[in-house]
Amino acid sequence: MNDDRRIIIFDTTLRDGEQSPGASMNQAEKLRIASQLEALGVDVIEAGFPAASDGDFEAVKAIANTLKRAQVAALCRASEADIRRGWDAIKDAAHPRIHTFIATSELHMKYKLQMEPSEVLKKAVESVKLAASFTDNVEFSAEDGSRSDRDFLCTVFESVIDAGATTINLPDTVGYAIPEEFGQLVKYVIENTSNIDKAVLSVHCHNDLGLATSNTLSAIKNGARQVEVTVNGIGERAGNTSLEEVVMSLKTRPNFFPQTTGINTTRIYPTSRLVSMITGILVQPNRAIVGANAFAHEAGIHQDGVLKNPMTYEIMKPETVGITKNSLVLGKHSGRHALNAHIQTMGYNLSDDELNVVFKKFKNLADKKKRIQDEDIEALINEGVLRSSEVFCLEYIHVLSGNTVFPTASIQLNINGRPVHGSTEGSGPIDAVYNIISKLTGTKSELLRFTISALTEGTDAQGEVTVRLKEDGITALGKGADPDIITAAALAYINGLNRLEYLKTHPPKEEALL
Ligand code: KIV
Ligand code: ZN
């Protein structure tokens, strides 16, 4: 990886991405995403922030102990306790990396850290030295780097490289930079950090002005060799630079960018879907590369052109990013083998037990819906495999509704292995369902958002419901799919409550940590 044209892809979906509101994931979910990222070809996976919570520590440790090829990074503040905890979590990884950071902008130093620049410099150096005593793979980030004094930034970078940092990262923490300016800053750092040849220069951009990808590409053009990204661009506030946009920009414009990556682009779309399903964060239809409309040609003139030669209106082939919408539609008579073969073409590898669960659900769905499409199968995988350790499960649901009756819902749940049932009324069928679920589970969450959409075309389509719940200051997303939209709404609510239960025992990081 000494080739200067090979860009190192550092993925922080599991750390910065997890800081998206409501996106908290449990350990099994994080492990699944980490394995998918490794298969995607990501070079460095930032698995989490071990000092933030015991749950984070355990998840980082599990990922570190599982991955074989990718480097596993643990984020640590520039403090002895954080670095020791971080190292404890990753010390058994095949390729561990400690990533330590401290803010270098005047604003952050004065108001957040209440430290003098000389103290910040000292802390940065001490932290990197400590990290370097554990591993020779140490990354240092100058938080709010893009708003820092350029010369102070170069002094800090020079000192931490002397102290043992092998990667120095320049973050645009608040998404304030403009591409040309950010590229110039990268160039300035390269020209004014005397020992820069001993480290890899990385960038980490946020998308507050919608410029994260542009800033990252401008940085690459000016000499950055590592880019920090997330799948679907999820992350704090408006998100981070999106992995797929940067990777496909380099691949699609090789004459402009001689740089390459180690990403297997055909795994981009399955990875995007997996992250969306696990986090519950929907991908907007017009999102570049991975949105539902990214390769859809609506205008007649475009359709005509694409039929004559796809290159008229398509700059990338959908198959290049793993969109394999083949016409094979599964149905009632499809066997376990055909289902598995199809699931594999969608980019998933299920164990025998997981396949059994999905196959059973598939047969149930096929009794209700003739043509089972990819979107349906994804929903089955989501419900049957990706959701783990559920406290509340739906056993049955009966709902009475119409314009001449009081909507009433009767429900049986399984709560920690114990069946409980009850019924109640509501202003509408969903209100009735949510009232009885809340009563049976003894939860008092607030419903902040409720959306419903059809997974596929046709009146027999599965309805997919997404909810956003809040309880005791914690928010969580829930998703459910079923041909019966009231059942889908119940499943989404129960999924959201399960996520809240998990978060109650694994509290999210304190806001003040970052
Ligand atoms: O945005 C940021 O500055 C960060 C650092 C911790 C790298 O996420
Ligand atoms: Zn960040």
Side-chain angles (χ1 to χ4, degrees), residues 15-16 204 206 240:
R15 198 277 298 170
D16 227 339
H204 172 115
H206 280 266
N240 289 55

Side-chain angles (χ1 to χ4, degrees), residues 1 3 5-10 36-44 69-70 225 227 243 246-248 250-251 259-268:
M1 216 184 286
D3 178 0
R5 285 175 308 175
R6 167 73 155 75
I7 297 296
I8 299 166
I9 301 291
F10 175 116
Q36 179 84 12
L37 291 172
E38 186 170 58
L40 177 67
V42 162
D43 300 295
V44 189
R69 187 198 54 76
R225 286 174 48 214
V227 295
L243 178 150
V246 172
V247 168
M248 290 313 292
L250 300 187
K251 192 173 168 87
Q259 293 86 351
T260 58
T261 71
I263 297 295
N264 173 354
T265 60
T266 61
R267 290 191 177 259
I268 286 181

Side-chain angles (χ1 to χ4, degrees), residues 12 15-16 19 171-173 204-206 228 236 240 514:
T12 182
R15 198 277 298 170
D16 227 339
Q19 289 175 216
D172 180 28
T173 303
H204 172 115
C205 297
H206 280 266
E228 303 201 350
E236 189 83 34
N240 289 55
L514 277 181

Side-chain angles (χ1 to χ4, degrees), residues 269-274 276-277 325 343 346 348 358 372-386 455 462 464 479 481:
Y269 185 68
T271 309
S272 158
R273 298 297 310 148
L274 183 75
S276 171
M277 282 195 294
K325 284 251 174 295
I343 285 175
M346 289 167 63
Y348 297 96
V358 175
I372 311 272
Q373 290 164 261
D374 287 3
E375 292 82 351
D376 297 313
I377 295 171
E378 269 190 345
L380 300 181
I381 295 174
N382 189 17
E383 270 180 40
V385 177
L386 303 182
L455 273 179
Q462 291 200 82
E464 184 180 55
K479 262 182 156 190

